[in-house]
Amino acid sequence: MKAEIIENEGNSARVLLKDFKVSLVNAMRRAVINGVKTLAIDDVTIYKNTSSMYDEILATRLGLIPLKTPIELKEKGKFSFKLKEMGPKAVHASDLIPSDKDVAPAIPDMLIINLKEGEAVELEAETAWGNGAHHTKFTPGHVFYHFYPKITIPNSKVKGAARIAAMCPVDILDGEKDTLSVKKGKLSDCILCKACEDYAGSDVISISSESDKIVFEVESWGQLTVREILNEALSTLEDEVTEIGEKV
Ligand code: SF4
């Protein structure tokens, strides 16, 4: 399988795959979702909660906060957070006080609870290591793939090209001066929704895909970098294949 990074910005990346087996690409996707170990809050002791939010809901919300997971701390036991706040206050993930600064919330602005005047929460939360097969809160990000788009415009001079271009939800079509085209370097952004084709007709713009190319997309929730996610997922996949090989 050949891989070429077509975009790698911040927390997301897109990789163009060629010479692949779809079953292997899907195994990679599943390995990202189910096989990568991350940290998440797993055990909450609530000392005080006079807010209108039930303890169980509060604990669930804490569990869903993505925590930075330094790979070097892998399997190194548990970490904890303390929270003690009094209303009126919007309590965010950044208000959690970590036992280790390297295991801070990945999205500090994430809202946990809105405390009204006089309401208070006081709690301690402990983390656990896990993967998406254990609980979805450990899943490190969003991952999906699709075939590489193919857009055919038989005649670029089209009356009302601007209106056709405006139908595109990801803004990859150019329709200036009644000339319809795909913006430079934007073809792989096409999500194959066919909104343009449905509007203008397949004789004006036709959407299909190339079955020998796949765009594999990963967006991290912030626990790990995309590179770490892919490396961990592939290593999990390798371990599983080796184990099967040894058993048969
Ligand atoms: S198929 Fe959808 S995303 Fe692709 S060019 Fe047409 S409108 Fe845009």
Side-chain angles (χ1 to χ4, degrees), residues 46-197:
I46 297 179
Y47 300 115
K48 191 174 191 179
N49 178 14
T50 58
S51 75
S52 55
M53 189 180 283
Y54 294 123
D55 291 355
E56 293 84 349
I57 304 290
L58 183 56
T60 303
R61 288 180 73 90
L62 291 166
L64 292 173
I65 295 171
L67 302 177
K68 283 183 196 159
T69 304
I71 216 86
E72 64 276 11
L73 297 182
K74 202 175 170 188
E75 311 288 3
K76 271 202 183 156
K78 297 178 175 183
F79 302 90
S80 61
F81 292 90
K82 286 185 178 167
L83 183 70
K84 188 176 180 182
E85 296 293 346
M86 171 75 87
K89 180 172 180 178
V91 182
H92 294 95
S94 56
D95 293 312
L96 288 164
I97 301 164
S99 60
D100 184 317
K101 64 174 174 38
D102 291 333
V103 189
I107 306 168
D109 291 342
M110 205 171 201
L111 181 68
I112 299 173
I113 186 170
N114 251 321
L115 294 176
K116 292 192 181 134
E117 180 78 42
E119 292 182 345
V121 287
E122 185 178 351
L123 56 85
E124 269 185 48
E126 225 174 48
T127 64
W129 290 89
N131 59 30
H134 175 212
H135 192 291
T136 194
K137 68 184 177 183
F138 295 107
T139 299
H142 184 41
V143 55
F144 61 98
Y145 61 87
H146 55 84
F147 288 112
Y148 198 82
K150 185 175 173 188
I151 301 179
T152 310
I153 302 171
N155 185 355
S156 60
K157 280 285 172 198
V158 183
K159 209 165 175 218
R163 265 180 288 131
I164 300 169
M167 300 310 292
C168 180
V170 286
D171 192 27
I172 64 163
L173 296 176
D174 199 339
E176 274 190 30
K177 296 182 185 162
D178 280 346
T179 304
L180 189 62
S181 62
V182 179
K183 289 181 182 171
K184 201 170 171 213
K186 292 288 182 185
L187 178 58
S188 65
D189 287 0
C190 173
I191 55 173
L192 303 168
C193 70
K194 293 200 171 196
C196 53
E197 185 182 301

